[in-house]
Amino acid sequence: MGKIVYLMGKSSTGKDTLYKRLLEENPFSLKKIIPYTTRPIRLGEENGVEYYFTDEAGFQKELEKGKVIEHRAYNTYHGLWRYFTLDDGQITLEKQSHICIGTLQAYESMRDYFGKETMVPILIELDDGERLQRALDREKGQENPKYEEMCRRFLADSEDFAEEKIKRAGITKRFCNNNLEECLAEIKQYIAKQI
């Protein structure tokens, strides 16, 4: 039976970079789970790579069909944005292990859906000052920077990743991303013991 390696962490902790590196090197032959979103596509993103991009009607259609495993909704400066994972045939635990990236709330929903024994949680952390600088640098590089949304995400992280929520999710192992290569090596060692 396969496992689901689930990367999560506050915004700008480097989890996307770590996720991409794990997929590029892929020593465990992990299959990527691609989530869905109703937010607009960003510069440099491709449909079906980072996310499947849809709209509110598309989300509601899947919800009615009972295909939504987990979902989150954010009232942003630009309107309602949803992020969700579907039971759409991507996840084949009987054949292999998978990897995905998301929030603590999404992790809990996935854990409840697939079972705790299936999940391998990877919580990435970084100093808040460093995270804020990284977020600002990334947003400056966008064609149309959305600083208000960047600030909303940063502030929401404090609530979304509150210590009591991390404890409730049963996450005891954390990975500090002060040094990308060291953090990546530590994560690989951890996954090797879990799969």
Side-chain angles (χ1 to χ4, degrees), residues 105-188:
Q105 177 189 355
Y107 164 76
E108 289 182 288
S109 296
M110 294 281 281
R111 178 202 62 201
D112 293 347
Y113 191 87
F114 291 104
K116 183 179 179 183
E117 67 285 350
T118 301
M119 304 302 291
V120 180
I122 307 288
L123 178 60
I124 311 298
E125 295 186 320
L126 185 67
D127 171 74
D128 282 346
E130 181 66 25
R131 285 194 318 107
L132 186 57
Q133 187 61 57
R134 286 184 184 182
L136 185 58
D137 292 344
R138 181 177 63 193
E139 205 59 40
K140 280 181 180 178
Q142 296 294 318
E143 187 175 322
N144 296 305
K146 296 177 173 68
Y147 296 113
E148 297 90 348
E149 175 57 18
M150 180 202 78
C151 291
R152 183 209 62 79
R153 282 195 318 265
F154 189 85
L155 294 172
D157 282 339
S158 294
E159 183 179 334
D160 294 345
F161 287 91
E163 285 300 318
E164 61 271 12
K165 290 183 180 180
I166 293 170
K167 185 177 179 181
R168 184 185 69 213
I171 296 171
T172 56
K173 180 76 175 150
R174 301 172 192 218
F175 301 86
C176 184
N177 190 16
N178 285 327
N179 178 294
L180 181 68
E181 297 303 324
E182 289 175 10
C183 186
L184 182 61
E186 187 182 355
I187 289 169
K188 285 182 189 174

Side-chain angles (χ1 to χ4, degrees), residues 18-134:
L18 288 162
Y19 174 72
K20 287 175 186 172
R21 286 285 301 276
L22 283 168
L23 280 169
E24 285 168 8
E25 298 173 21
N26 212 350
F28 311 105
S29 300
L30 301 170
K31 181 183 173 193
K32 178 166 73 167
I33 300 170
I34 303 171
Y36 291 72
T37 185
T38 62
R39 75 154 168 76
I41 193 166
R42 292 179 182 154
L43 184 66
E45 290 181 327
E46 272 184 68
N47 190 38
V49 177
E50 295 84 7
Y51 293 97
Y52 288 115
F53 293 90
T54 186
D55 56 16
E56 182 64 21
F59 168 75
Q60 292 299 332
K61 181 179 175 184
E62 298 298 339
L63 192 61
E64 289 169 15
K65 291 194 294 189
K67 296 283 189 179
V68 178
I69 296 171
E70 62 81 24
H71 71 281
R72 293 140 282 137
Y74 301 101
N75 288 308
T76 75
Y77 178 80
H78 303 280
L80 180 68
W81 290 355
R82 294 187 189 274
Y83 296 83
F84 54 101
T85 306
L86 292 181
D87 189 350
D88 61 357
Q90 288 185 70
I91 303 168
T92 54
L93 293 172
E94 65 282 357
K95 295 180 182 176
Q96 65 191 114
S97 290
H98 298 266
I99 186 169
C100 63
I101 189 169
T103 66
L104 182 60
Q105 177 189 355
Y107 164 76
E108 289 182 288
S109 296
M110 294 281 281
R111 178 202 62 201
D112 293 347
Y113 191 87
F114 291 104
K116 183 179 179 183
E117 67 285 350
T118 301
M119 304 302 291
V120 180
I122 307 288
L123 178 60
I124 311 298
E125 295 186 320
L126 185 67
D127 171 74
D128 282 346
E130 181 66 25
R131 285 194 318 107
L132 186 57
Q133 187 61 57
R134 286 184 184 182

